[in-house]
Amino acid sequence: MTYLSFPRQHARTQRFTLGVPQAFTVAPDGRRVVFLRSRTGTDTAQLLWVLDLPADGGGAVRERVAADPVALLGGSEEELPAAERARRERSRQSSAGVVAYAVDAEAATAAFALSGRLFTVRLAEEGGVPRELPVPGPVVDPRPSPDGRWVAFSAGGALRVVAADGTAGTGGTAGTGGTAAAGGAEGRALAEPDGDEVTWGLAEFVAAEEMGRHRGFWWAPDSSAVLAARVDESGVARRWLSEPAHPDRPPVEVAYPAAGTDNAEVSLWLLGLDGTRREVTWDRERFPYLAAVQWTAAGPPVLLVQTREQRTQHYLTVDPKTGGTELAAAEEDQDWLDLFPGVPALRPDGTLLRITDTEGVRALTADGQPWTDGRLHLREVLAADGEDVLVSASAGAKAEDPETGEIHVYRVTAEGPVRVTAEPGVHSAVRAGEVTVLTSSLPGRPGVRTRVLRGGTEVAEIASHAEAPSLTARVRLTEAGERRIPCAVLLPSGHTADDGPLPVLMDPYGGPHGQRVTATHNPHLVSQWFADQGFAVVVADGRGTPGRSPAWEKAIGGGRLAEVVLEDQIDALHALAGSFPLDLSRVAIRGWSFGGTLASLAVLRRPDVFHAGIAGAPLTDQRLYDTHYTERYLGLPQEQGAAYDANSVVTSGSIPQLAEPARPLMIIHGFADDNVLIANTLRLSTALLAAGRPHEVLPLSGGITHMTPQEEVAENLLRLQVDFLNRSLRA
């Protein structure tokens, strides 16, 4: 076997995620588990798999391939439509093949897109052959109706529907199985765009990037209609992404709602298969953000809508007959209201589930009544289909054991929570009926373990084909300073107390929505590799990061974002120096995205603490980032200009808080980044030149976006960073 260095292996395996089973769906009858997985730990093509489970718990468990993208495409390369590339970028999906699928209510039929072509496959039948449906494309986000008879999908900005078996329908009436609903073998459009900048059935940029809503349409439980988002981007400002390495190519136009500018206009419509159409009405002027939609057999559609400043949000129920809405619950917060995966949700009895900030803790509430207390910090509602609710949660502020970096699965009822997972680690689950798929990442075990349970008994384990890392992460989880900042510390392999203090590399994300200090193994591998190059690596999750308490996350409010996150990195560093061999005269910091912003701030504002920095894809001017994220913490730039200046690395062509002495700074950015635009790096470089500050810029061409999945690029970026650190700290 050819030996691969860790940087090459890490890049080739896409951070050891290839070959890991993911995207699970459990059939309600407990007979099947559907999932995605590539064949090996270096194969980027995801296959659709089915795990067949015996109905009575006896007999053999069988695993089979339901769809192989290589066979379906005849070995040819995928050709992704622009809308699909954007969807994958927003969801940080860098693999290939069947990267997403949807199923009907019984998980008997699946639909998926490959190269903009629509495929369906019968999952309930062993040996079922995928069928390509000859529909107008390119197809994005196909979804079967709950009864499995139709497939709706977005194509060319229109929302279309077609019979799932590829026929034109035989008999019946419109909306109940006849030709009027199908519209022929190629289907028909339920809604078509009335302008070049209008789309139906797709999530707009801020919904997919910031709200966690990647969908744009939802089937009625009886399969008679579709609830669809109409997105009008005509008022959204345009940005232009160029590829300087290819001056013969025109720049790419993207609609980007920067802070203080207009968002896309989003409305919601009920589109009947019988041709009826009615708009869902709510106060869209006051509540422009459509944050979440749910429509299940448990009750009417439920919407979560937010005001632009995100201090007020309403949960609305929709009358499908009229499109009118009624208020089910309202929430307000003096800072902002966070969004959580899995909510709103309805229990089978119609009880509305929410995750709310209640008396300083994050609790699960059912029709407004708290079902958990300060011992748990709720993270996500995983399943609400049974008598109990399955959730994931961290230890709350009133927990006896802080359990640094752990996330566990709990079953919750009105009587309280019962913990499902026991081993220290990060756990999650998917459930339907009596079958639960439990995934676990543990600190002492590489990779992810996936177990299938019926009731409380394990009946199968879904194998991971991921490669074993060529090194072992030896992470020490601890808390630092008076604020008990969660930290992970990694030292070189074989380091002893006699070896003396080490140069320090702070390796944070450090901002909202990005928890780095976790009780896992693989997420710490890159930090361990840097440690093995002769550094003491510190990962600190200061205020603003998730997983602790609402107050912890909201301490960055009031225009103090940059100040607070930088202060906590410094406090953690100094507190840990008393327990670990840290040479405080040689301290560097690296990070990507928010972590890149933090690294820039550290080197330029506190060179007395930080002696070198590596900023990957940094946001340097807060006015350049999107509305939903930036305005949550800083308000509107037209009203809070001083806050934007104070929290930007560079503004108006200069660096507002530039301290002495000058420290080395490496900046890395992709030209094709449509999330954090490369203008951020170019403006910072210009300001540094004007100030006479030496720095290095690595511009990444060749289609490099906010992600860097390209194998050679990802590998060499790690090596170049180590070279920079050695030159900066060991000269």
Side-chain angles (χ1 to χ4, degrees), residues 25-32 105 348 383-388 390 411 430-437 453-456:
T25 302
V26 179
D29 62 4
R31 298 292 299 272
R32 290 174 301 286
D385 60 331
E387 295 183 0
D388 56 36
L390 203 67
R411 293 187 293 106
V430 175
R431 183 183 73 182
E434 295 183 348
V435 174
T436 301
V437 178
L453 290 74
R454 189 184 297 276

Side-chain angles (χ1 to χ4, degrees), residues 33 58 104 106 118 190 211 224 247 264 319-320 334 445 452 459 480-481 493 523 527 536 565 636 650 672 674:
V33 176
D104 60 1
E106 300 302 320
L118 174 58
L190 294 178
M211 302 180 202
S224 66
D319 183 348
Q334 63 180 359
R445 184 181 188 273
V452 181
V459 295
S493 304
S527 295
V565 298
L636 291 170
V650 59
D674 67 350

Side-chain angles (χ1 to χ4, degrees), residues 654-717:
S654 64
I655 302 172
Q657 299 185 40
L658 183 60
E660 296 289 347
R663 299 297 191 189
L665 177 62
M666 171 186 279
I667 315 170
I668 309 167
H669 217 131
F671 275 102
D673 194 334
D674 67 350
N675 180 25
V676 181
L677 306 178
I678 197 172
N680 286 277
T681 283
L682 299 178
R683 291 185 183 185
L684 176 57
S685 178
T686 299
L688 289 169
L689 284 172
R693 291 295 183 101
H695 60 285
E696 302 178 19
V697 178
L698 285 179
L700 306 179
S701 60
I704 305 295
T705 63
H706 202 59
M707 302 184 291
T708 54
Q710 293 83 346
E711 184 175 316
E712 293 81 4
V713 173
E715 175 193 12
N716 290 322
L717 280 180

Side-chain angles (χ1 to χ4, degrees), residues 192-346:
E192 294 185 281
D194 51 349
D196 294 338
E197 295 162 337
V198 174
T199 60
W200 286 88
L202 295 177
E204 74 278 17
F205 179 91
V206 293
E209 182 66 39
E210 306 298 356
M211 302 180 202
R213 177 172 66 79
H214 299 280
R215 298 177 58 176
F217 69 91
W218 301 261
W219 275 101
D222 65 358
S223 304
S224 66
V226 173
L227 192 59
R230 177 187 181 273
V231 175
D232 184 352
E233 294 185 328
S234 59
V236 180
R238 265 39 186 183
R239 300 292 183 262
W240 302 88
L241 305 180
S242 63
E243 181 57 84
H246 296 280
D248 55 314
R249 300 177 184 175
V252 176
E253 177 183 353
V254 295
Y256 191 93
T261 68
D262 290 340
N263 282 299
E265 291 189 8
V266 181
S267 55
L268 201 59
W269 295 73
L270 283 156
L271 308 176
L273 296 193
D274 59 1
T276 59
R277 178 184 298 193
R278 60 184 63 90
E279 184 176 4
V280 177
T281 57
W282 75 92
D283 187 355
R284 289 198 294 115
E285 184 175 352
R286 186 186 175 202
F287 295 90
Y289 287 134
L290 178 64
V293 178
Q294 188 198 72
W295 199 358
T296 68
V302 180
L303 316 181
L304 173 55
V305 295
Q306 286 187 323
T307 56
R308 178 149 178 169
E309 80 281 357
Q310 301 168 59
R311 296 192 185 108
T312 304
Q313 61 188 23
H314 283 178
Y315 296 80
L316 307 174
T317 57
V318 181
D319 183 348
K321 296 180 179 179
T322 66
T325 56
E326 291 188 4
L327 180 66
E331 296 173 353
E332 293 186 354
D333 191 277
Q334 63 180 359
D335 296 307
W336 64 80
L337 289 156
D338 286 304
L339 302 173
F340 307 102
V343 291
L346 291 179

Side-chain angles (χ1 to χ4, degrees), residues 371-654:
W371 278 15
T372 60
D373 57 25
R375 290 171 293 179
L376 292 184
H377 179 77
L378 264 289
R379 309 294 289 264
E380 180 177 359
V381 169
L382 302 169
D385 60 331
E387 295 183 0
D388 56 36
V389 180
L390 203 67
V391 305
S392 64
S394 310
K398 298 180 181 179
E400 296 180 0
D401 185 349
E403 298 180 331
T404 301
E406 297 185 31
I407 302 175
H408 287 278
V409 175
Y410 295 81
R411 293 187 293 106
V412 184
T413 64
E415 283 68 46
V418 175
R419 190 152 127 178
V420 175
T421 51
E423 293 179 285
V426 172
H427 307 269
S428 189
V430 175
R431 183 183 73 182
E434 295 183 348
V435 174
T436 301
V437 178
L438 189 66
T439 58
S440 301
S441 300
L442 310 180
R445 184 181 188 273
V448 180
R449 185 183 182 192
T450 304
R451 293 171 289 161
V452 181
L453 290 74
R454 189 184 297 276
T457 303
E458 182 176 333
V459 295
E461 181 168 342
I462 301 178
S464 172
H465 297 163
E467 281 198 359
S470 58
L471 58 80
T472 299
R474 291 167 296 279
V475 58
R476 293 268 304 273
L477 299 179
T478 185
E479 294 181 336
E482 295 181 357
R483 284 190 292 276
R484 298 172 40 239
I485 300 169
C487 294
V489 181
L490 301 99
L491 302 178
S493 304
H495 183 271
T496 67
D498 295 334
D499 295 332
L502 296 163
V504 184
L505 176 61
M506 303 293 288
D507 193 16
Y509 179 79
H513 316 301
Q515 183 177 0
R516 284 286 316 280
V517 180
T518 57
T520 56
H521 180 269
N522 283 19
H524 298 290
L525 285 170
V526 171
S527 295
Q528 182 64 59
W529 182 77
F530 274 101
D532 287 345
Q533 312 312 305
F535 299 92
V537 178
V538 174
V539 182
D541 279 351
R543 288 168 291 173
T545 59
R548 183 104 176 230
S549 70
W552 184 265
E553 296 178 29
K554 295 177 181 179
I556 59 176
R560 300 179 62 234
L561 174 62
E563 172 190 343
V564 169
V565 298
L566 185 53
E567 179 182 9
D568 279 8
Q569 294 298 312
I570 296 172
D571 286 356
L573 171 68
H574 290 163
L576 293 172
S579 305
F580 295 92
L582 310 184
D583 183 350
L584 298 186
S585 69
R586 294 183 292 169
V587 178
I589 182 170
R590 70 180 287 269
W592 195 270
S593 195
F594 189 95
T597 304
L598 182 51
S600 303
L601 291 167
V603 169
L604 298 175
R605 295 189 182 183
R606 294 302 304 270
D608 57 318
V609 177
F610 300 97
H611 308 96
I614 300 171
L619 172 66
T620 64
D621 186 343
Q622 296 289 349
R623 290 175 174 83
L624 291 177
Y625 205 54
D626 70 59
T627 52
H628 193 270
Y629 182 99
T630 314
E631 293 170 9
R632 182 187 311 133
Y633 309 116
L634 300 178
L636 291 170
Q638 298 92 325
E639 301 171 359
Q640 304 294 334
Y644 276 75
D645 291 345
N647 289 278
S648 294
V649 182
V650 59
T651 183
S652 301
S654 64

